[in-house]
Amino acid sequence: MNENQIHERIHALFQKTYNAPIHSIQIITGAGSPRKYYRILSSLSYSVIACFGTNLEENKSFIYYSTFFLAAGLSVPKIYASEQEPWLYLLEDFGDIDVLTAKQNLSETETITLYKNIIRDLIQFQLKGAKCDFSHCFSRNAFDETAMKWDLYYFKYYYLKLSNLDFNEQKLEEDFDALIVFLKQADASYFMYRDFQARNILLKNNKLHYIDFQGGMRGPLQYDLASLLLQAKAQLSVATQKTLIDFYISEISKYITISKSQFKALYEGFAMIRIIQTLGAYGFRGIIEKKPHFISSIPHAVDNAVAQISNVSQHIHLPYLTHILHNLPKITETT
């Protein structure tokens, strides 16, 4: 569908919803998703975002989760209207300032304070979201063995094979299987946001707001914390990460009983699979789709992977994956 056709549908849905004309429609530059976002300016006292998504089931998941989390008191966008079959929907505008941008002007102390507030909110998503209806998940309803393999294969096919590094698939598969067995020890009965990172957290009027939760599923606690702390461009120091992990454990312990040592050990494993999945995403979006933002994130993500394999190796033996990551090239161009 071309831009003119999308604009016509935006005008029709907006007119039906508000009975008011649109003054302008501004396209919002996206990151990795094929979804398209538009800011609508009109005679209303507030702006409205229009989202046109090419995956109908994904759109339905977003609308369901938004409604659920709003009712649970969490700061997610309100859905104002949608088409009957929601290829297009209108939602609340939280502005353009994300946490990754905001933290550039913060001291380390201020960054820690900000991330502690985010962690408090994350815990509420994880605990309250555990009561949602996971039949509304659009890809898979749980981060189980199959979903873990998808993440690991994303790395294998969209980064490792594109790097032209010779490797033994059988040995790599054995380490993948060992990592999955280790991760399956975690209690996976919570809501896993899936892409809980600073670009998906917006700041408006000094309040935190959360977007891009449509990939959520049932899963463990550790994955989302790793997503937040290990985002390549956030570049949180190791000391800051340790402080925030301890803070998370302290906060979550107000609600449930966990073993601190087991949580930390499993965290290292989920941090490893998250970094590997992210490298696959950077390969696909950067190397194949040639999006500069993702290519520029690759060097730090590879460094993260090398550091993390050392951490997780204290809990599980992954000799071949260690070898691969220590020899993994940093692809910084698409030619």
Side-chain angles (χ1 to χ4, degrees):
M1 181 172 293
N2 63 40
E3 285 298 314
N4 286 338
Q5 291 172 318
I6 294 174
H7 280 220
E8 287 174 3
R9 290 172 70 164
I10 291 173
H11 276 277
L13 183 58
F14 191 88
Q15 179 67 30
K16 178 181 177 181
T17 305
Y18 296 105
N19 192 28
I22 291 175
H23 294 161
S24 67
I25 298 176
Q26 305 167 351
I27 191 164
I28 300 173
T29 303
S33 169
R35 295 184 303 277
K36 294 184 176 182
Y37 292 95
Y38 306 84
R39 177 167 286 115
I40 303 171
L41 301 179
S42 68
S43 57
L44 300 178
S45 60
Y46 54 93
S47 63
V48 173
I49 299 297
C51 176
F52 182 83
T54 57
N55 186 320
L56 186 61
E57 295 307 313
E58 183 180 38
N59 297 344
K60 289 178 179 178
S61 290
F62 181 86
I63 292 170
Y64 169 76
Y65 282 134
S66 180
T67 303
F68 179 89
F69 287 132
L70 274 173
L74 297 168
S75 185
V76 299
K78 182 183 297 183
I79 305 298
Y80 296 132
S82 69
E83 295 178 331
Q84 186 170 1
E85 282 290 278
W87 300 101
L88 174 71
Y89 52 94
L90 306 179
L91 65 156
E92 190 172 358
D93 185 1
F94 288 146
D96 298 317
I97 306 301
D98 60 40
V99 165
L100 191 62
T101 301
K103 75 176 288 294
Q104 295 174 5
N105 299 315
L106 300 179
S107 66
E108 186 161 358
T109 299
E110 290 170 328
T111 296
I112 289 173
T113 298
L114 175 62
Y115 272 69
K116 283 182 176 180
N117 288 331
I118 293 169
I119 284 171
R120 291 188 183 98
D121 288 345
L122 168 60
I123 289 170
Q124 295 307 308
F125 276 103
Q126 293 176 321
L127 299 181
K128 292 179 178 180
K131 299 176 182 178
C132 77
D133 181 354
F134 287 100
S135 69
H136 291 276
C137 298
F138 83 91
S139 58
R140 194 161 185 84
N141 61 12
F143 194 61
D144 55 11
E145 181 173 343
T146 297
M148 292 177 191
K149 283 196 172 184
W150 288 351
D151 278 8
L152 294 169
Y153 291 163
Y154 201 30
F155 162 72
K156 182 170 77 170
Y157 290 111
Y158 289 112
Y159 194 91
L160 184 54
K161 283 184 177 287
L162 296 178
S163 75
N164 294 320
L165 180 68
D166 288 332
F167 67 98
N168 184 309
E169 292 209 43
Q170 179 59 40
K171 290 182 178 180
L172 182 63
E173 192 74 18
E174 289 170 2
D175 275 10
F176 281 173
D177 288 343
L179 178 59
I180 289 171
V181 169
F182 178 69
L183 297 178
K184 286 172 66 177
Q185 297 177 76
D187 181 354
S189 61
Y190 304 96
F191 178 78
M192 192 177 101
Y193 197 112
R194 182 60 168 158
D195 199 16
F196 194 82
Q197 44 101 350
R199 286 195 180 278
N200 291 334
I201 306 170
L202 301 175
L203 277 166
K204 185 178 181 182
N205 299 326
N206 294 317
K207 185 177 179 182
L208 293 163
H209 307 278
Y210 299 86
I211 60 173
D212 276 10
F213 39 76
Q214 64 277 351
M217 61 184 71
R218 193 187 305 276
L221 296 170
Q222 292 91 341
Y223 188 98
D224 287 334
L225 183 62
S227 300
L228 177 68
L229 301 185
L230 292 168
Q231 183 181 2
K233 286 200 169 182
Q235 296 189 44
L236 297 176
S237 69
V238 172
T240 294
Q241 290 179 42
K242 289 181 177 179
T243 295
L244 293 172
I245 292 169
D246 286 339
F247 178 77
Y248 177 94
I249 292 171
S250 174
E251 288 294 303
I252 195 70
S253 295
K254 295 176 182 178
Y255 303 94
I256 61 174
T257 301
I258 63 170
S259 162
K260 183 175 181 179
S261 59
Q262 184 188 46
F263 181 93
K264 286 189 171 184
L266 287 168
Y267 171 86
E268 302 298 350
F270 283 105
M272 189 75 261
I273 197 171
R274 172 61 182 182
I275 292 170
I276 284 176
Q277 186 274 340
T278 299
L279 268 171
Y282 291 167
F284 179 70
R285 300 298 183 188
I287 301 165
I288 294 177
E289 294 189 338
K290 305 187 188 305
K291 295 181 178 180
H293 158 69
F294 293 95
I295 296 173
S296 66
S297 297
I298 285 173
H300 192 73
V302 172
D303 290 341
N304 269 355
V306 173
Q308 190 56 37
I309 194 64
S310 176
N311 295 337
V312 76
S313 292
Q314 298 175 37
H315 306 283
I316 178 175
H317 190 49
L318 301 170
Y320 196 70
L321 183 57
T322 300
H323 165 76
I324 288 293
L325 294 179
H326 277 282
N327 289 279
L328 195 64
K330 299 174 181 178
I331 306 172
T332 56
E333 56 185 46
T334 59
T335 55

